[in-house]
Amino acid sequence: MEDMNARSPVLVLEPQRGWGLVRSAAADLKAGLRLFPLAAALGWLDIKMRYRGSILGPLWLTLSTAVMIGATGVVYGYLFHMDLKTYLPFLSLSIVLWGYIGTVVNDAGTVFTQNTPLFHSMRIPASLPVMQVIVRNLLVLLHNMVVVAVVFAVFRIWPHQIWSLLLSLPVWIVDSFCVILLIGMLGARFRDIAPIVASLLQIFFFVTPVIWKPELITTGRQYLLLDPFYSLLEIVRAPLLGRTVDAVVWGAAIGHSVLLWLLAAILFCRMRSRIPYWI
């Protein structure tokens, strides 16, 4: 018995290959899910620390969003010759949803580098800070949805096919997780990724129907489906605005999501173990 214990290795340093990488990645995800209460607590703590000492606290999020929607709605409604009764609900919901998308993508570039002391002090699953970012931005989204609810109540907008949110919201959560993993790992390896992503996101904000309606495009509207943000927005925005989501939009959203999931899974399996060394 002593002979067998003496021969057993204390630490295996041989690089993993093949299914060993997949099993390690799956174990990381399981460990992260077990620590979800910790991720939720850290996400809430991030918001509390950001507004510590403030009188209104997180309500500043709602107030700033309301001011932006009010000012932007009047200006662009006049420029686009839009009826405010239909344009302002569209704009408020679009800006709030885009705010979540934009913040998640921007936070993704530094999700691991900002947690360098945590990775260097203890062994934690790489998925833990990813879930922390998702929880933090979901809480901000819920704060801002108050503005949308008020605008909808004023203009008497009623959601349609609300059951479809049971499909679209999980897609949003999984997409958020995968995009944070993907950009976060690339950002840990290449520090130029964060500013590049921020610049690209500004371009997508103007080419994606956020402050303008898709109906304004009379020819070539089908090319909007090539924009991954358009279909992602539409599967949540359309039911809340009382419209039906076209099957082709759902197909584009699922197609873009599957490509994102596969790419994130491949890179996570190959690059997960190198994150502590890169940061």
Side-chain angles (χ1 to χ4, degrees):
M1 179 66 69
E2 292 180 1
D3 226 10
M4 292 178 58
N5 290 335
R7 294 177 183 176
S8 60
V10 178
L11 181 63
V12 179
L13 298 177
E14 182 182 355
Q16 292 181 328
R17 294 182 178 86
W19 286 107
L21 295 172
V22 178
R23 288 192 295 267
S24 296
D28 186 289
L29 294 177
K30 291 180 181 179
L33 290 175
R34 286 196 297 267
L35 293 175
F36 178 76
L38 175 60
L42 292 174
W44 173 244
L45 183 62
D46 287 342
I47 296 180
K48 290 183 64 177
M49 294 298 293
R50 183 185 304 179
Y51 295 96
R52 185 177 60 177
S54 172
I55 297 176
L56 295 179
L59 290 178
W60 277 113
L61 299 171
T62 306
L63 183 61
S64 61
T65 302
V67 172
M68 179 181 178
I69 291 173
T72 308
V74 173
V75 173
Y76 282 94
Y78 175 77
L79 291 177
F80 294 146
H81 305 287
M82 304 289 290
D83 182 12
L84 288 183
K85 291 183 179 180
T86 58
Y87 179 65
L88 205 56
F90 168 86
L91 180 67
S92 61
L93 181 58
S94 299
I95 286 182
V96 168
L97 293 178
W98 181 266
Y100 171 82
I101 294 174
T103 310
V104 163
V105 174
N106 280 324
D107 289 349
T110 57
V111 63
F112 296 123
T113 55
Q114 287 186 346
N115 289 277
T116 299
L118 191 60
F119 275 95
H120 289 177
S121 61
M122 65 182 67
R123 188 173 183 177
I124 64 170
S127 52
L128 176 62
V130 174
M131 291 188 294
Q132 177 185 349
V133 172
I134 293 176
V135 170
R136 181 174 69 236
N137 286 287
L138 282 177
L139 292 174
V140 174
L141 176 63
L142 291 176
H143 274 91
N144 292 334
M145 285 301 292
V146 174
V147 180
V148 178
V150 172
V151 173
F152 276 34
V154 170
F155 294 103
R156 298 181 180 180
I157 302 296
W158 301 103
H160 179 66
Q161 291 186 349
I162 198 69
W163 57 266
S164 66
L165 295 180
L166 298 177
L167 301 176
S168 56
L169 291 181
V171 172
W172 270 53
I173 299 299
V174 179
D175 279 5
S176 300
F177 187 88
C178 291
V179 78
I180 295 173
L181 267 185
L182 180 61
I183 299 178
M185 289 184 295
L186 294 176
R189 179 63 181 88
F190 306 102
R191 301 305 168 90
D192 297 327
I193 292 296
I196 291 174
V197 168
S199 299
L200 291 176
L201 199 62
Q202 291 181 350
I203 298 174
F204 272 107
F205 174 75
F206 291 104
V207 301
T208 303
V210 178
I211 58 177
W212 53 274
K213 287 189 172 184
E215 292 79 8
L216 294 176
I217 298 181
T218 55
T219 58
R221 190 183 303 174
Q222 67 273 15
Y223 295 112
L224 282 175
L225 297 175
L226 299 177
D227 181 357
F229 295 110
Y230 166 67
S231 56
L232 192 65
L233 277 172
E234 196 65 14
I235 60 176
V236 174
R237 182 172 59 190
L240 292 178
L241 289 174
R243 296 186 281 108
T244 303
V245 183
D246 295 334
V248 66
V249 175
W250 264 112
I254 296 299
H256 291 139
S257 297
V258 170
L259 290 177
L260 173 64
W261 301 345
L262 290 175
L263 184 58
I266 293 172
L267 290 185
F268 185 58
C269 290
R270 294 187 60 87
M271 303 170 63
R272 178 194 59 84
S273 60
R274 305 174 190 175
I275 293 174
Y277 300 98
W278 289 337
I279 60 177

mmCIF file of all heavy atoms in Angstrom, residues 60-90:
data_model
loop_
_atom_site.group_PDB
_atom_site.id
_atom_site.type_symbol
_atom_site.label_atom_id
_atom_site.label_comp_id
_atom_site.label_asym_id
_atom_site.label_seq_id
_atom_site.Cartn_x
_atom_site.Cartn_y
_atom_site.Cartn_z
ATOM 1 N N TRP A 60 -30.225 56.840 -9.742
ATOM 2 C CA TRP A 60 -29.590 57.679 -10.747
ATOM 3 C C TRP A 60 -29.605 56.991 -12.112
ATOM 4 O O TRP A 60 -29.656 57.651 -13.152
ATOM 5 C CB TRP A 60 -28.152 58.008 -10.342
ATOM 6 C CG TRP A 60 -28.044 59.159 -9.394
ATOM 7 C CD1 TRP A 60 -27.643 59.134 -8.092
ATOM 8 C CD2 TRP A 60 -28.347 60.534 -9.685
ATOM 9 N NE1 TRP A 60 -27.675 60.387 -7.547
ATOM 10 C CE2 TRP A 60 -28.098 61.274 -8.500
ATOM 11 C CE3 TRP A 60 -28.793 61.207 -10.818
ATOM 12 C CZ2 TRP A 60 -28.291 62.652 -8.437
ATOM 13 C CZ3 TRP A 60 -28.980 62.583 -10.758
ATOM 14 C CH2 TRP A 60 -28.732 63.284 -9.576
ATOM 15 N N LEU A 61 -29.529 55.653 -12.100
ATOM 16 C CA LEU A 61 -29.597 54.912 -13.362
ATOM 17 C C LEU A 61 -30.918 55.181 -14.077
ATOM 18 O O LEU A 61 -30.961 55.462 -15.274
ATOM 19 C CB LEU A 61 -29.447 53.412 -13.093
ATOM 20 C CG LEU A 61 -28.142 52.938 -12.450
ATOM 21 C CD1 LEU A 61 -28.268 51.478 -12.048
ATOM 22 C CD2 LEU A 61 -26.993 53.133 -13.407
ATOM 23 N N THR A 62 -32.015 55.117 -13.315
ATOM 24 C CA THR A 62 -33.338 55.340 -13.892
ATOM 25 C C THR A 62 -33.511 56.780 -14.327
ATOM 26 O O THR A 62 -34.042 57.054 -15.415
ATOM 27 C CB THR A 62 -34.416 54.969 -12.855
ATOM 28 O OG1 THR A 62 -34.190 53.641 -12.391
ATOM 29 C CG2 THR A 62 -35.802 55.055 -13.460
ATOM 30 N N LEU A 63 -33.039 57.712 -13.515
ATOM 31 C CA LEU A 63 -33.195 59.129 -13.836
ATOM 32 C C LEU A 63 -32.414 59.512 -15.089
ATOM 33 O O LEU A 63 -32.934 60.204 -15.978
ATOM 34 C CB LEU A 63 -32.742 59.979 -12.651
ATOM 35 C CG LEU A 63 -32.903 61.499 -12.799
ATOM 36 C CD1 LEU A 63 -34.371 61.849 -12.999
ATOM 37 C CD2 LEU A 63 -32.346 62.209 -11.575
ATOM 38 N N SER A 64 -31.169 59.066 -15.186
ATOM 39 C CA SER A 64 -30.364 59.399 -16.367
ATOM 40 C C SER A 64 -30.947 58.779 -17.633
ATOM 41 O O SER A 64 -30.929 59.397 -18.700
ATOM 42 C CB SER A 64 -28.922 58.929 -16.159
ATOM 43 O OG SER A 64 -28.867 57.524 -15.972
ATOM 44 N N THR A 65 -31.482 57.575 -17.520
ATOM 45 C CA THR A 65 -32.112 56.931 -18.680
ATOM 46 C C THR A 65 -33.358 57.688 -19.113
ATOM 47 O O THR A 65 -33.597 57.878 -20.312
ATOM 48 C CB THR A 65 -32.468 55.481 -18.347
ATOM 49 O OG1 THR A 65 -31.293 54.769 -17.952
ATOM 50 C CG2 THR A 65 -33.086 54.784 -19.549
ATOM 51 N N ALA A 66 -34.158 58.146 -18.149
ATOM 52 C CA ALA A 66 -35.370 58.893 -18.476
ATOM 53 C C ALA A 66 -35.045 60.207 -19.182
ATOM 54 O O ALA A 66 -35.701 60.584 -20.163
ATOM 55 C CB ALA A 66 -36.163 59.167 -17.195
ATOM 56 N N VAL A 67 -34.014 60.904 -18.705
ATOM 57 C CA VAL A 67 -33.620 62.166 -19.341
ATOM 58 C C VAL A 67 -33.132 61.923 -20.767
ATOM 59 O O VAL A 67 -33.488 62.656 -21.704
ATOM 60 C CB VAL A 67 -32.533 62.863 -18.507
ATOM 61 C CG1 VAL A 67 -31.971 64.069 -19.251
ATOM 62 C CG2 VAL A 67 -33.085 63.283 -17.153
ATOM 63 N N MET A 68 -32.333 60.877 -20.957
ATOM 64 C CA MET A 68 -31.813 60.575 -22.290
ATOM 65 C C MET A 68 -32.939 60.229 -23.252
ATOM 66 O O MET A 68 -32.962 60.689 -24.399
ATOM 67 C CB MET A 68 -30.815 59.419 -22.204
ATOM 68 C CG MET A 68 -30.236 59.011 -23.549
ATOM 69 S SD MET A 68 -29.090 57.624 -23.428
ATOM 70 C CE MET A 68 -28.658 57.390 -25.147
ATOM 71 N N ILE A 69 -33.882 59.414 -22.800
ATOM 72 C CA ILE A 69 -34.993 59.015 -23.668
ATOM 73 C C ILE A 69 -35.859 60.215 -24.018
ATOM 74 O O ILE A 69 -36.277 60.394 -25.173
ATOM 75 C CB ILE A 69 -35.818 57.910 -22.986
ATOM 76 C CG1 ILE A 69 -35.012 56.617 -22.921
ATOM 77 C CG2 ILE A 69 -37.134 57.683 -23.723
ATOM 78 C CD1 ILE A 69 -35.678 55.533 -22.116
ATOM 79 N N GLY A 70 -36.136 61.061 -23.033
ATOM 80 C CA GLY A 70 -36.962 62.233 -23.298
ATOM 81 C C GLY A 70 -36.325 63.183 -24.293
ATOM 82 O O GLY A 70 -36.966 63.633 -25.256
ATOM 83 N N ALA A 71 -35.030 63.474 -24.104
ATOM 84 C CA ALA A 71 -34.345 64.400 -25.008
ATOM 85 C C ALA A 71 -34.176 63.800 -26.398
ATOM 86 O O ALA A 71 -34.461 64.449 -27.420
ATOM 87 C CB ALA A 71 -32.988 64.785 -24.420
ATOM 88 N N THR A 72 -33.724 62.547 -26.459
ATOM 89 C CA THR A 72 -33.502 61.899 -27.754
ATOM 90 C C THR A 72 -34.813 61.698 -28.495
ATOM 91 O O THR A 72 -34.875 61.847 -29.729
ATOM 92 C CB THR A 72 -32.793 60.554 -27.566
ATOM 93 O OG1 THR A 72 -31.616 60.738 -26.768
ATOM 94 C CG2 THR A 72 -32.411 59.941 -28.898
ATOM 95 N N GLY A 73 -35.874 61.348 -27.768
ATOM 96 C CA GLY A 73 -37.158 61.099 -28.409
ATOM 97 C C GLY A 73 -37.714 62.319 -29.103
ATOM 98 O O GLY A 73 -38.208 62.238 -30.240
ATOM 99 N N VAL A 74 -37.602 63.480 -28.471
ATOM 100 C CA VAL A 74 -38.122 64.711 -29.076
ATOM 101 C C VAL A 74 -37.292 65.100 -30.298
ATOM 102 O O VAL A 74 -37.836 65.427 -31.362
ATOM 103 C CB VAL A 74 -38.126 65.853 -28.041
ATOM 104 C CG1 VAL A 74 -38.504 67.165 -28.711
ATOM 105 C CG2 VAL A 74 -39.086 65.539 -26.905
ATOM 106 N N VAL A 75 -35.967 65.033 -30.178
ATOM 107 C CA VAL A 75 -35.096 65.461 -31.273
ATOM 108 C C VAL A 75 -35.241 64.549 -32.487
ATOM 109 O O VAL A 75 -35.504 65.009 -33.610
ATOM 110 C CB VAL A 75 -33.623 65.509 -30.807
ATOM 111 C CG1 VAL A 75 -32.704 65.779 -31.996
ATOM 112 C CG2 VAL A 75 -33.441 66.573 -29.741
ATOM 113 N N TYR A 76 -35.090 63.226 -32.273
ATOM 114 C CA TYR A 76 -35.137 62.308 -33.411
ATOM 115 C C TYR A 76 -36.561 62.117 -33.922
ATOM 116 O O TYR A 76 -36.758 61.816 -35.105
ATOM 117 C CB TYR A 76 -34.524 60.961 -33.021
ATOM 118 C CG TYR A 76 -33.018 60.989 -33.016
ATOM 119 C CD1 TYR A 76 -32.314 61.252 -31.841
ATOM 120 C CD2 TYR A 76 -32.294 60.777 -34.176
ATOM 121 C CE1 TYR A 76 -30.933 61.292 -31.832
ATOM 122 C CE2 TYR A 76 -30.909 60.815 -34.178
ATOM 123 C CZ TYR A 76 -30.235 61.071 -32.997
ATOM 124 O OH TYR A 76 -28.867 61.126 -32.991
ATOM 125 N N GLY A 77 -37.547 62.265 -33.051
ATOM 126 C CA GLY A 77 -38.923 62.221 -33.527
ATOM 127 C C GLY A 77 -39.216 63.349 -34.495
ATOM 128 O O GLY A 77 -39.924 63.171 -35.498
ATOM 129 N N TYR A 78 -38.644 64.529 -34.230
ATOM 130 C CA TYR A 78 -38.804 65.671 -35.147
ATOM 131 C C TYR A 78 -38.020 65.450 -36.432
ATOM 132 O O TYR A 78 -38.505 65.733 -37.537
ATOM 133 C CB TYR A 78 -38.350 66.949 -34.443
ATOM 134 C CG TYR A 78 -38.364 68.168 -35.328
ATOM 135 C CD1 TYR A 78 -39.557 68.825 -35.646
ATOM 136 C CD2 TYR A 78 -37.171 68.669 -35.858
ATOM 137 C CE1 TYR A 78 -39.562 69.943 -36.466
ATOM 138 C CE2 TYR A 78 -37.166 69.786 -36.676
ATOM 139 C CZ TYR A 78 -38.367 70.427 -36.985
ATOM 140 O OH TYR A 78 -38.360 71.533 -37.787
ATOM 141 N N LEU A 79 -36.787 64.926 -36.312
ATOM 142 C CA LEU A 79 -35.959 64.726 -37.498
ATOM 143 C C LEU A 79 -36.542 63.665 -38.424
ATOM 144 O O LEU A 79 -36.501 63.792 -39.654
ATOM 145 C CB LEU A 79 -34.537 64.329 -37.082
ATOM 146 C CG LEU A 79 -33.699 65.409 -36.393
ATOM 147 C CD1 LEU A 79 -32.351 64.837 -35.967
ATOM 148 C CD2 LEU A 79 -33.480 66.606 -37.322
ATOM 149 N N PHE A 80 -37.067 62.560 -37.824
ATOM 150 C CA PHE A 80 -37.609 61.465 -38.627
ATOM 151 C C PHE A 80 -39.086 61.652 -38.951
ATOM 152 O O PHE A 80 -39.674 60.788 -39.606
ATOM 153 C CB PHE A 80 -37.419 60.134 -37.883
ATOM 154 C CG PHE A 80 -35.979 59.736 -37.707
ATOM 155 C CD1 PHE A 80 -35.578 59.047 -36.567
ATOM 156 C CD2 PHE A 80 -35.033 60.035 -38.662
ATOM 157 C CE1 PHE A 80 -34.252 58.673 -36.388
ATOM 158 C CE2 PHE A 80 -33.712 59.668 -38.506
ATOM 159 C CZ PHE A 80 -33.312 58.986 -37.365
ATOM 160 N N HIS A 81 -39.669 62.762 -38.487
ATOM 161 C CA HIS A 81 -41.094 63.025 -38.693
ATOM 162 C C HIS A 81 -41.949 61.862 -38.173
ATOM 163 O O HIS A 81 -42.857 61.374 -38.857
ATOM 164 C CB HIS A 81 -41.385 63.264 -40.184
ATOM 165 C CG HIS A 81 -40.561 64.357 -40.785
ATOM 166 N ND1 HIS A 81 -40.771 65.698 -40.515
ATOM 167 C CD2 HIS A 81 -39.492 64.317 -41.630
ATOM 168 C CE1 HIS A 81 -39.885 66.433 -41.174
ATOM 169 N NE2 HIS A 81 -39.093 65.622 -41.855
ATOM 170 N N MET A 82 -41.630 61.419 -36.960
ATOM 171 C CA MET A 82 -42.319 60.283 -36.357
ATOM 172 C C MET A 82 -43.362 60.767 -35.359
ATOM 173 O O MET A 82 -43.179 61.795 -34.690
ATOM 174 C CB MET A 82 -41.318 59.375 -35.649
ATOM 175 C CG MET A 82 -40.191 58.867 -36.528
ATOM 176 S SD MET A 82 -40.743 57.659 -37.733
ATOM 177 C CE MET A 82 -41.110 56.291 -36.643
ATOM 178 N N ASP A 83 -44.449 60.003 -35.266
ATOM 179 C CA ASP A 83 -45.465 60.271 -34.254
ATOM 180 C C ASP A 83 -44.937 59.822 -32.898
ATOM 181 O O ASP A 83 -44.570 58.650 -32.713
ATOM 182 C CB ASP A 83 -46.749 59.514 -34.608
ATOM 183 C CG ASP A 83 -47.863 59.797 -33.608
ATOM 184 O OD1 ASP A 83 -47.710 60.734 -32.789
ATOM 185 O OD2 ASP A 83 -48.873 59.069 -33.633
ATOM 186 N N LEU A 84 -44.875 60.724 -31.927
ATOM 187 C CA LEU A 84 -44.304 60.395 -30.627
ATOM 188 C C LEU A 84 -45.082 59.295 -29.920
ATOM 189 O O LEU A 84 -44.525 58.580 -29.085
ATOM 190 C CB LEU A 84 -44.248 61.648 -29.740
ATOM 191 C CG LEU A 84 -43.199 62.695 -30.119
ATOM 192 C CD1 LEU A 84 -43.222 63.840 -29.120
ATOM 193 C CD2 LEU A 84 -41.810 62.080 -30.186
ATOM 194 N N LYS A 85 -46.352 59.126 -30.233
ATOM 195 C CA LYS A 85 -47.140 58.088 -29.579
ATOM 196 C C LYS A 85 -46.642 56.689 -29.934
ATOM 197 O O LYS A 85 -46.818 55.751 -29.142
ATOM 198 C CB LYS A 85 -48.612 58.228 -29.976
ATOM 199 C CG LYS A 85 -49.285 59.475 -29.407
ATOM 200 C CD LYS A 85 -50.752 59.517 -29.770
ATOM 201 C CE LYS A 85 -51.420 60.750 -29.181
ATOM 202 N NZ LYS A 85 -52.868 60.822 -29.527
ATOM 203 N N THR A 86 -46.060 56.547 -31.092
ATOM 204 C CA THR A 86 -45.509 55.245 -31.488
ATOM 205 C C THR A 86 -43.989 55.218 -31.389
ATOM 206 O O THR A 86 -43.404 54.164 -31.135
ATOM 207 C CB THR A 86 -45.926 54.907 -32.938
ATOM 208 O OG1 THR A 86 -45.462 55.952 -33.810
ATOM 209 C CG2 THR A 86 -47.440 54.799 -33.043
ATOM 210 N N TYR A 87 -43.357 56.398 -31.595
ATOM 211 C CA TYR A 87 -41.904 56.414 -31.611
ATOM 212 C C TYR A 87 -41.303 56.371 -30.210
ATOM 213 O O TYR A 87 -40.303 55.677 -29.994
ATOM 214 C CB TYR A 87 -41.406 57.662 -32.342
ATOM 215 C CG TYR A 87 -39.898 57.778 -32.381
ATOM 216 C CD1 TYR A 87 -39.137 56.836 -33.070
ATOM 217 C CD2 TYR A 87 -39.243 58.815 -31.726
ATOM 218 C CE1 TYR A 87 -37.752 56.927 -33.111
ATOM 219 C CE2 TYR A 87 -37.864 58.919 -31.767
ATOM 220 C CZ TYR A 87 -37.129 57.978 -32.451
ATOM 221 O OH TYR A 87 -35.758 58.069 -32.478
ATOM 222 N N LEU A 88 -41.886 57.099 -29.263
ATOM 223 C CA LEU A 88 -41.291 57.166 -27.930
ATOM 224 C C LEU A 88 -41.293 55.813 -27.213
ATOM 225 O O LEU A 88 -40.282 55.454 -26.588
ATOM 226 C CB LEU A 88 -42.008 58.222 -27.084
ATOM 227 C CG LEU A 88 -41.189 58.823 -25.937
ATOM 228 C CD1 LEU A 88 -39.894 59.412 -26.465
ATOM 229 C CD2 LEU A 88 -41.991 59.880 -25.193
ATOM 230 N N PRO A 89 -42.377 55.013 -27.272
ATOM 231 C CA PRO A 89 -42.284 53.664 -26.682
ATOM 232 C C PRO A 89 -41.220 52.803 -27.352
ATOM 233 O O PRO A 89 -40.478 52.075 -26.682
ATOM 234 C CB PRO A 89 -43.688 53.085 -26.897
ATOM 235 C CG PRO A 89 -44.570 54.280 -26.991
ATOM 236 C CD PRO A 89 -43.758 55.322 -27.689
ATOM 237 N N PHE A 90 -41.131 52.879 -28.690
ATOM 238 C CA PHE A 90 -40.088 52.136 -29.412
ATOM 239 C C PHE A 90 -38.701 52.573 -28.964
ATOM 240 O O PHE A 90 -37.828 51.742 -28.692
ATOM 241 C CB PHE A 90 -40.265 52.348 -30.918
ATOM 242 C CG PHE A 90 -39.107 51.866 -31.746
ATOM 243 C CD1 PHE A 90 -39.026 50.544 -32.159
ATOM 244 C CD2 PHE A 90 -38.080 52.740 -32.116
ATOM 245 C CE1 PHE A 90 -37.956 50.098 -32.918
ATOM 246 C CE2 PHE A 90 -37.010 52.297 -32.866
ATOM 247 C CZ PHE A 90 -36.947 50.981 -33.272
#
